[in-house]
């Protein structure tokens, strides 16, 4: 079964510190995405990638960097974490073909910045 | 830019009573519409996806798309307390391909026993 695994599941960080969220997929998918969800609200796209060694900005990229070192791995990096970045972060992957059923989400990483 | 809005923000229904959720979008040329569910503290679960005007049923979930009125509805037949969750509507703009999703802010559904 297709799988997207995120790590860590939760993290507490200090303001100004560096945070790296990791995502690994075994779906052999070309596309990977990072979304942010604020409590009780929908998801917003931060960064995405459609090929290894290349990333693209989503709707809210400020304060975040992304890295796609291989097809399977996609990281989200907060160089200087801020209070406003407290949220749940979801990674997802999808295949090259169009089709909503092919979008797979990880279970999320809950980030608390203090 | 595509805007996706959901209503109501919260909805309480009794067990077994039909629940109807509304999602409006701004770009009539959008071509992929999906409903997700998220139980508290859990990940996203896709419920139903629809490409063309009309209805699509997946188990107890039915999506109804009307591009002319810029609406996509989700009807939940005979909901159970276990269906209590945040329901998210997502739309793919036609220009983006299926990879880009614009999410609504969600409807928090509570099903009372």
């Amino acid at each position: 079964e297709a799988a997207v695994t995120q790590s860590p599941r939760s993290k507490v960080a200090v303001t100004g510190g560096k945070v790296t969220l990791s995502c690994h997929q075994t779906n052999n998918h070309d596309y990977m995405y990072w979304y942010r969800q604020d409590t009780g609200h929908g998801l917003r796209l931060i960064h995405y990638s459609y090929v290894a060694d290349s990333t693209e900005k989503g709707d809210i990229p400020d304060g975040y960097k992304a890295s796609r070192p291989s097809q399977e791995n996609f990281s989200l990096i907060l160089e200087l974490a801020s209070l406003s970045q407290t949220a749940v972060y979801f990674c997802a992957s999808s295949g090259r073909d169009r089709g909503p059923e092919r979008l797979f989400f990880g279970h999320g990483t809950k980030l608390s910045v203090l | 830019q595509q805007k996706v809005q959901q209503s109501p923000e919260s909805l309480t229904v009794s067990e077994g009573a039909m629940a109807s959720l509304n999602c409006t979008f701004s770009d009539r040329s959008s071509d992929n519409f999906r409903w997700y569910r998220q139980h508290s503290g859990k990940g996203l679960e896709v419920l139903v996806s629809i490409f063309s005007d009309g209805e699509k049923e997946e188990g107890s979930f039915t999506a109804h798309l009307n591009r002319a009125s810029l609406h996509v509805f989700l009807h939940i037949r005979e909901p159970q307390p276990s269906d209590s969750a945040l329901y998210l509507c997502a739309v793919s703009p036609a220009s983006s391909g299926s990879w880009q999703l614009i999410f609504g802010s969600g409807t928090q559904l509570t099903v009372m026993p």
Side-chain angles (χ1 to χ4, degrees):
Chain A
E1 184 176 314
V4 178
T5 306
Q6 293 181 231
S7 62
R9 292 297 298 270
S10 65
K11 183 173 180 64
V12 178
V14 296
T15 303
K18 182 177 180 178
V19 176
T20 301
L21 306 183
S22 300
C23 180
H24 178 80
Q25 55 107 350
T26 58
N27 307 326
N28 197 32
H29 284 164
D30 290 316
Y31 293 91
M32 296 187 74
Y33 324 90
W34 276 105
Y35 287 90
R36 164 183 174 150
Q37 183 181 35
D38 294 283
T39 303
H41 293 85
L43 283 75
R44 292 179 290 171
L45 182 63
I46 307 171
H47 286 286
Y48 65 96
S49 167
Y50 51 83
V51 67
D53 295 321
S54 177
T55 64
E56 306 293 332
K57 294 181 179 179
D59 296 325
I60 52 164
D62 293 345
Y64 302 95
K65 291 184 180 179
S67 173
R68 184 91 181 270
S70 64
Q71 187 192 40
E72 298 81 15
N73 296 293
F74 191 37
S75 298
L76 185 68
I77 303 154
L78 291 67
E79 293 281 2
L80 295 171
S82 65
L83 294 173
S84 64
Q85 292 178 312
T86 293
V88 178
Y89 292 84
F90 285 94
C91 176
S93 73
S94 69
R96 182 177 296 273
D97 296 337
R98 291 168 64 91
E101 287 83 359
R102 297 182 187 275
L103 190 71
F104 296 92
F105 281 90
H107 280 89
T109 295
K110 184 176 182 179
L111 175 65
S112 300
V113 182
L114 305 178
Chain B
Q1 185 181 1
Q2 173 81 267
K3 291 183 180 179
V4 179
Q5 294 180 305
Q6 292 185 238
S7 63
E9 287 189 13
S10 64
L11 176 65
T12 299
V13 300
S14 297
E15 182 176 355
M18 174 80 78
S20 294
L21 285 61
N22 181 33
C23 176
T24 61
F25 53 96
S26 59
D27 183 355
R28 192 170 280 112
S29 64
S30 300
D31 57 2
N32 286 326
F33 304 84
R34 313 164 205 184
W35 283 97
Y36 290 89
R37 176 170 71 180
Q38 184 184 30
H39 286 102
S40 181
K42 303 295 184 181
L44 292 170
E45 172 191 10
V46 61
L47 301 174
V48 58
S49 50
I50 186 167
F51 303 96
S52 55
D53 283 353
E55 290 189 348
K56 183 172 180 184
E57 184 177 320
E58 296 283 354
S60 61
F61 303 100
T62 301
H64 182 107
L65 173 62
N66 184 332
R67 276 200 185 81
S69 67
L70 299 171
H71 285 274
V72 56
F73 299 96
L74 179 69
H75 303 294
I76 307 172
R77 187 172 56 255
E78 298 183 351
Q80 304 298 307
S82 58
D83 291 316
S84 297
L86 181 69
Y87 287 77
L88 295 166
C89 170
V91 178
S92 287
S95 60
S96 72
S98 65
W99 54 263
Q100 186 175 5
L101 291 177
I102 310 296
F103 283 83
S105 58
T107 293
Q108 185 68 48
L109 176 67
T110 302
V111 182
M112 304 295 290

